């Protein structure tokens, strides 16, 4: 998109009431003209910080942005009421200097401008799913199932130890999960609980059979808003345009059987792309850390496995492993229900969210691995950090696929 340049588009026009319900919607082909190329930071400065200089620079657009911000608040409230889960997740932001070298690696902070776009996209995606359902057109839905019986049992086992419980019996809803996370939000072990809930959920897939979207608490959901980036969106555009040109499901170029194959391929390609992205980011992180061997850092336990502890650093958005053999001499028992390692002889326990001081001992660029060990003062500095912001763990990359 370029400012003041005509672009062809497919429009989703929605009428949304004060409760955030999409009262009606329609689709049509059009020509659009963007009036400004803005950044999330600039929009957040206008809407949240109310920065006078930025507001003056975009003074013609401010009323429209504020109107849209009001819509976001209505949609967000509706999401909360229906029980849609909003995980507190982070992505990596790598900043480069003028010489092309990495200057910093930090967590990308979401603001209300990001959330505003997300809610508008979700609304359009819901309308698109309704459209193909109503016209019985072959298309791909974004299907997200709830937790399996096995994962639900594991989650309840962990919750039992924390004094919390998940409602809903054998088939909890997204709202039950959202209520649980709301109750846990101010606890020291919030990160542990959020990670446990996230890992209990299935990965979203593309499927021509609508199965609803558990995480967003929606009966039907499809991807419509990114046809230049996602093939499933383009397939959905083709179906909608086919209907707009008086076509029928019978003479559409894609059959239901075709969509099964397309959905399987798109789901596979999404996982492959996520893996490639993660692989590239991890290599860059290793490259940034390679000259920092023997330096000491403060961090938090962001993952626990039978072979050791993953530690996410506080000041650099980088994660590495303390192998179980690098822990104080003991035999350690791994408890998958509480995400903990406990020494058999000493009784010393390491859990998600624990603060540690670590020393960087090895970086393997080929394997994309970073190894830590406890620093000499690591045990003296081990503590439960009360600041949730400082101990937010990096969650599995597939959390982005929940939407």
């Amino acid at each position: 998109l370029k400012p003041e340049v005509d672009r062809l588009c497919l429009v989703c026009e929605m009428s949304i009431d004060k409760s955030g319900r999409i009262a009606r919607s329609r689709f049509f082909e059009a020509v659009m003209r963007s009036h400004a190329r803005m950044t999330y930071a600039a929009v957040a400065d206008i809407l949240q910080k109310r920065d006078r200089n930025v507001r003056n620079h975009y003074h013609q657009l401010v009323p429209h942005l504020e109107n849209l911000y009001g819509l976001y608040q209505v949609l967000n409230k509706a999401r909360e009421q229906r029980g849609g889960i909003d995980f507190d997740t982070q992505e990596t932001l790598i900043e480069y200097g003028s010489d092309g070298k990495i200057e910093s690696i930090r967590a990308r902070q979401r603001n209300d401008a990001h959330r505003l776009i997300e809610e508008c996209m979700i609304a359009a995606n819901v309308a698109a799913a309704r459209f193909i359902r109503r016209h019985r057109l072959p298309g791909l839905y974004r299907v997200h199932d709830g937790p399996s019986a096995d994962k639900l049992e594991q989650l309840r086992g962990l919750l039992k130890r924390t004094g919390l419980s998940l409602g809903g019996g054998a088939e909890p809803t997204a709202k039950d999960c959202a209520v649980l996370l709301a109750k846990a939000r101010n606890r020291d072990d919030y990160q542990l609980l959020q990670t446990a809930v996230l890992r209990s959920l299935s990965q979203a897939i593309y499927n021509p059979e609508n199965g609803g979207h558990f995480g967003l608490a929606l009966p039907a959901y499809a991807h419509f808003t990114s046809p230049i980036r996602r093939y499933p969106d383009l397939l959905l555009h083709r179906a909608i345009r086919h209907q707009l040109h008086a076509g029928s499901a019978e003479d559409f170029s894609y059959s239901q059987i075709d969509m099964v194959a397309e959905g399987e391929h798109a789901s596979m390609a999404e996982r492959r792309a996520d893996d490639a992205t993660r692989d590239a980011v991890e290599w860059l992180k290793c490259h940034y850390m390679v000259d920092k061997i023997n330096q000491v850092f403060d961090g938090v336990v962001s993952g626990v496995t039978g072979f050791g502890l993953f530690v996410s650093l506080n000041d650099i958005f980088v994660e590495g492993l303390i192998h179980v053999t690098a822990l104080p001499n003991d035999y350690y028992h791994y408890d998958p229900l509480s995400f903990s390692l406990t020494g058999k002889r000493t009784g010393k326990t390491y859990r998600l969210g624990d603060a540690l001081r670590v020393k960087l001992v090895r970086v393997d660029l080929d394997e994309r691995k970073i190894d830590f060990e406890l620093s000499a003062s690591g045990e003296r500095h081990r503590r439960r950090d009360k600041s949730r912001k400082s101990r937010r763990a990096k969650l599995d990359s597939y959390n982005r696929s929940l939407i």
Side-chain angles (χ1 to χ4, degrees):
L1 295 176
K2 294 183 178 181
E4 306 304 331
V5 175
D6 289 347
R7 286 286 186 261
L8 297 175
C9 65
L10 185 61
V11 175
C12 174
E13 182 183 84
M14 293 169 283
S15 295
I16 300 173
D17 62 24
K18 292 182 179 179
S19 69
R21 182 180 66 91
I22 303 174
R24 61 182 182 275
S25 62
R26 70 184 182 111
F27 291 84
F28 55 90
E29 295 171 293
V31 177
M32 67 160 288
R33 176 173 288 200
S34 173
H35 293 295
R37 171 173 283 175
M38 306 184 71
T39 65
Y40 288 106
V43 175
D45 286 343
I46 291 171
L47 299 177
Q48 289 181 272
K49 297 181 180 179
R50 304 189 69 80
D51 185 288
R52 181 177 299 179
N53 292 332
V54 183
R55 290 173 70 89
N56 287 340
H57 182 74
Y58 295 105
H59 66 277
Q60 292 182 323
L61 300 177
V62 168
H64 303 289
L65 290 172
E66 289 185 332
N67 202 29
L68 191 62
Y69 194 40
L71 173 63
Y72 153 71
Q73 292 166 335
V74 168
L75 291 173
N76 188 55
K77 184 176 180 180
R79 178 176 178 168
E80 292 176 353
Q81 290 179 342
R82 72 173 183 266
I85 306 172
D86 186 11
F87 287 108
D88 193 13
T89 60
Q90 296 175 315
E91 294 182 4
T92 302
L93 177 63
I94 300 176
E95 297 181 315
Y96 293 85
S98 57
D99 57 358
K101 294 182 179 180
I102 299 175
E103 283 192 343
S104 67
I105 299 178
R106 57 188 177 88
R108 187 187 299 274
Q109 300 298 327
R110 292 177 73 228
N111 55 44
D112 278 0
H114 294 92
R115 298 182 182 97
L116 182 156
I117 292 296
E118 182 178 288
E119 288 298 335
C120 290
M121 290 170 63
I122 290 173
N125 290 343
V126 168
R130 290 180 181 177
F131 185 92
I132 61 172
R133 285 187 74 189
R134 183 167 66 249
H135 295 287
R136 299 182 179 179
L137 287 165
L140 293 179
Y141 295 92
R142 185 65 166 170
V143 178
H144 183 228
D145 294 330
S148 65
D150 290 343
K151 290 186 176 181
L152 189 59
E153 183 179 358
Q154 290 182 358
L155 177 61
R156 292 192 189 281
L158 169 63
L159 294 175
K160 188 175 181 180
R161 301 184 182 200
T162 64
L164 294 171
S165 61
L166 176 66
E171 296 184 1
T173 64
K175 192 166 189 176
D176 293 319
C177 295
V179 169
L180 165 65
L181 292 175
K183 290 180 179 178
R185 191 163 296 276
N186 295 321
R187 291 172 55 121
D188 287 343
D189 57 357
Y190 175 77
Q191 189 59 62
L192 181 152
L193 296 169
Q194 178 179 246
T195 301
V197 172
L198 175 64
R199 290 176 176 171
S200 73
L201 303 181
S202 304
Q203 187 171 9
I205 61 170
Y206 294 105
N207 196 309
E209 295 294 334
N210 176 41
H213 197 292
F214 180 87
L216 293 175
L218 292 168
Y221 190 68
H223 275 165
F224 163 80
T225 55
S226 299
I228 62 171
R229 294 193 295 112
R230 289 188 302 226
Y231 191 62
D233 301 60
L234 185 60
L235 290 173
L236 194 58
H237 278 230
R238 289 172 179 170
I240 293 171
R241 291 182 71 250
H242 179 75
Q243 177 67 33
L244 294 179
H245 289 275
S248 65
E250 289 72 25
D251 60 5
F252 185 40
S253 301
Y254 299 87
S255 67
Q256 191 77 355
I257 295 176
D258 293 332
M259 285 297 178
V260 171
E262 297 287 2
E264 291 175 351
H265 180 79
S267 298
M268 177 279 297
E270 178 189 29
R271 291 190 293 270
R272 182 180 61 192
D274 284 343
D275 289 342
T277 300
R278 183 171 58 252
D279 193 50
V281 170
E282 292 305 318
W283 187 91
L284 289 169
K285 289 182 176 182
C286 289
H287 180 69
Y288 180 72
M289 297 296 289
V290 75
D291 63 349
K292 297 174 175 57
I293 302 293
N294 293 325
Q295 290 187 25
V296 174
F297 304 91
D298 287 320
V300 295
V301 177
S302 55
V304 182
T305 71
F307 55 83
L309 309 171
F310 286 97
V311 176
S312 185
L313 304 184
N314 292 345
D315 298 325
I316 309 172
F317 198 53
V318 165
E319 186 181 64
L321 174 71
I322 302 178
H323 195 270
V324 67
T325 57
L327 293 173
N329 190 26
D330 204 342
Y331 175 80
Y332 288 88
H333 170 70
Y334 170 57
D335 185 352
L337 295 180
S338 62
F339 299 101
S340 65
L341 280 176
T342 302
K344 184 176 182 180
R345 179 175 55 83
T346 63
K348 191 178 297 295
T349 299
Y350 298 92
R351 301 173 68 241
L352 275 175
D354 283 350
L356 298 175
R357 176 161 289 178
V358 298
K359 183 171 72 172
L360 178 62
V361 294
R362 180 174 174 266
V363 176
D364 189 327
L365 284 170
D366 292 333
E367 295 293 329
R368 280 78 163 161
K369 292 180 179 179
I370 295 173
D371 291 332
F372 296 126
E373 65 180 29
L374 290 175
S375 74
S377 57
E379 289 304 297
R380 293 198 300 271
H381 284 83
R382 188 165 179 266
R383 63 194 183 281
R384 299 295 297 185
D385 192 332
K386 299 295 183 180
S387 170
R388 208 182 107 234
K389 182 178 180 181
S390 69
R391 60 180 178 80
R392 290 165 67 181
K394 184 182 75 173
L395 302 177
D396 293 334
S397 65
Y398 86 54
N399 59 3
R400 295 190 301 274
S401 73
L402 295 181
I403 292 179

